[in-house]
Amino acid sequence: TLRAPGLVIGTIGSMGRGRCHVGASCDGRFVAVGAADGALYVWDICGGGPPTVLRHHRDAVVAATFSCDVSVLVTADKGGHVALWSLLGDS
């Protein structure tokens, strides 16, 4: 089970069904979850510990996917903004 303090998943429609947008890397090392407040939580499954919290989006993150070589994470928010995140650690 992956948990993070402050992580709030958005809801869809009047029924309040959970909107959980999860991306998993091809190698199984990373899991990314978009939050209602625009934050992105990224867990390093191999490294353990708390997630890295990335902030760029102003609207709920509605998509998260990793490149095939796991060097880039691509996210999109409800407002149509797309962000590219380098996972190489050098930028």
Side-chain angles (χ1 to χ4, degrees), residues 20-80:
C20 183
H21 295 278
V22 177
S25 62
C26 296
D27 62 2
R29 179 173 178 182
F30 297 103
V31 173
V33 176
D37 66 356
L40 184 71
Y41 292 77
V42 181
W43 282 268
D44 180 342
I45 302 301
C46 297
T52 298
V53 181
L54 304 173
R55 298 195 183 273
H56 171 77
H57 295 288
R58 294 183 182 195
D59 292 316
V61 176
V62 296
T65 191
F66 292 87
S67 62
C68 292
D69 65 358
V70 194
S71 65
V72 176
L73 172 60
V74 181
T75 58
D77 67 27
K78 188 175 175 180

